[in-house]
Structures are given as C-alpha cells and as structure tokens.
Amino acid sequence: MMISKKMEEALNQQIAFEGYASFLYLSMATWCDHKGLQGCAKFLQRQSDEERMHMLKIFEYLSDVDGFALTPGIKEPPRKFKTVQEVFKSVYEHEQKVTQSINKLVTLAKNEEDHATQSFLQWYINEQREEEALMRTVLDRIGLIGDGPQSLYFIDKELDALNQAAAAEAAGGAGA
Ligand code: FEO
C-alpha cells in the first residue's frame, strides 16, 4: 500500500518532534550531570534514547508503506535550566504535547481511512500513556520530597531507584 502525501508529511513532522524531544532530554541530562545529579542525568539519557527509538520507528514505518522519511534539522534545545524541579515539569509538559500530536495523527489517519497508519499509531498511544504516567510519578515524588536543604540529594536517589527498576525490567525481569 502507499501512504498519502498528507499522512506522510504529518508523520515526518512527528519524526522532527520526537527528534527534538531526544535532543531536549539529552541537553537536560547534561545539565543534571553538571550539577552532580547523576541519577537524574541517567534517567534523562534513557528518555533521550527512547525518543530516538520513537523517531526511528516512524522511519521504518514510512519505508514499509512506500513513503519517504525525512531526516529533520533539529533546533538547538535550551542549555540551561533553573531547577531540577523545572526540568521534570518541562519533560511532563513536553510529553503532553507529544500525546496531543499523536492524537491528531490518529484523527488524520481515521479521516483518511488509513487503517494501517491507525494501527501503527496505537503503539504510540500506549507508549504516551506510560510516559505520562511515569513523569507524573516523578513529579509526585519530587513534590513529596519538597525543597528542603537535602532535597536534591533525595530527588537524585529517587530517580536512581527508577533507573534501577528500568534496568531490571530491561534485563527481562519485569516483576523480578
Ligand atoms: Fe516520543 Fe516521549 O514521546
């Protein structure tokens, strides 16, 4: 099957969006690393890798449906952030925007009766639900820790606990 030009263009915009998210989270990771927040940096590096994977999945899909994936020019993300709380709030807000964008793609695929793209996008719907839930967990924990004198130390420890849980899951031990 061949994809419509309109759908192809919209998916290419999503490629650019995912690519920007990957660079944004990488920039945030560097900032955290520089502040000595290794747990936060590692968490954001992993999120950055995830976004690259989200981007590449669309490349593959476009190739499967005889479309052409465009390698995007990526705008430089911010280099500096005020606080670690602000960093994670921005990640959450960015993820909410990505969700809206995926929802628009689904609507377009529906209107075009493009069932293959609709089916492809279901993976992203589930992924966004998980990512938003994860970021809400992070924000809730940061909120519980508060902004007392040792809060950065405890926030970093919490993020590192999430890194370890992710590593255990990646090792195939979900629930182990
Ligand atoms: Fe690819 Fe986190 O959205």
Side-chain angles (χ1 to χ4, degrees):
M1 88 163 240
M2 206 173 161
I3 195 156
S4 78
K5 277 289 147 208
K6 199 172 169 187
M7 197 72 241
E8 181 189 75
E9 215 176 279
L11 286 171
N12 271 314
Q13 277 169 15
Q14 190 64 30
I15 283 180
F17 207 176
E18 305 284 350
Y20 179 74
S22 180
F23 272 29
L24 175 64
Y25 300 166
L26 189 60
S27 180
M28 288 169 164
T30 302
W31 182 85
C32 288
D33 179 64
H34 188 70
K35 299 273 171 198
L37 300 164
Q38 309 302 333
C40 295
K42 205 169 160 197
F43 180 91
L44 288 161
Q45 270 161 15
R46 194 177 53 253
Q47 290 305 118
S48 172
D49 286 347
E50 292 248 328
E51 299 307 336
R52 179 176 151 80
M53 181 268 282
H54 296 170
M55 179 183 82
L56 293 178
K57 263 180 111 70
I58 308 176
F59 270 76
E60 261 174 54
Y61 177 73
L62 279 173
S63 157
D64 285 349
V65 293
D66 206 13
F68 194 89
L70 301 175
T71 303
I74 302 207
K75 180 173 113 210
E76 188 185 341
R79 293 175 190 184
K80 287 187 179 159
F81 305 91
K82 283 197 197 92
T83 60
V84 74
Q85 287 88 345
E86 185 208 82
V87 164
F88 286 106
K89 198 168 155 261
S90 308
V91 173
Y92 182 53
E93 285 167 2
H94 198 78
E95 288 303 321
Q96 287 178 307
K97 280 190 208 147
V98 174
T99 302
Q100 281 172 12
S101 170
I102 296 289
N103 286 340
K104 277 193 193 148
L105 287 172
V106 172
T107 304
L108 178 62
K110 268 191 184 149
N111 291 344
E112 293 206 345
E113 297 185 14
D114 179 345
H115 302 295
T117 302
Q118 243 179 284
S119 163
F120 166 69
L121 290 169
Q122 285 311 305
W123 183 89
Y124 286 82
I125 297 276
N126 295 330
E127 182 73 4
Q128 282 312 116
R129 192 194 60 237
E130 283 174 15
E131 294 223 318
E132 281 198 30
L134 174 64
M135 292 319 301
R136 268 197 305 276
T137 301
V138 170
L139 289 179
D140 285 348
R141 291 189 189 176
I142 288 178
L144 284 172
I145 291 166
D147 52 11
Q150 289 189 319
S151 56
L152 289 181
Y153 173 79
F154 288 113
I155 288 171
D156 203 52
K157 253 175 116 71
E158 275 301 324
L159 270 291
D160 209 38
L162 291 172
N163 292 336
Q164 279 163 31
E169 204 178 313

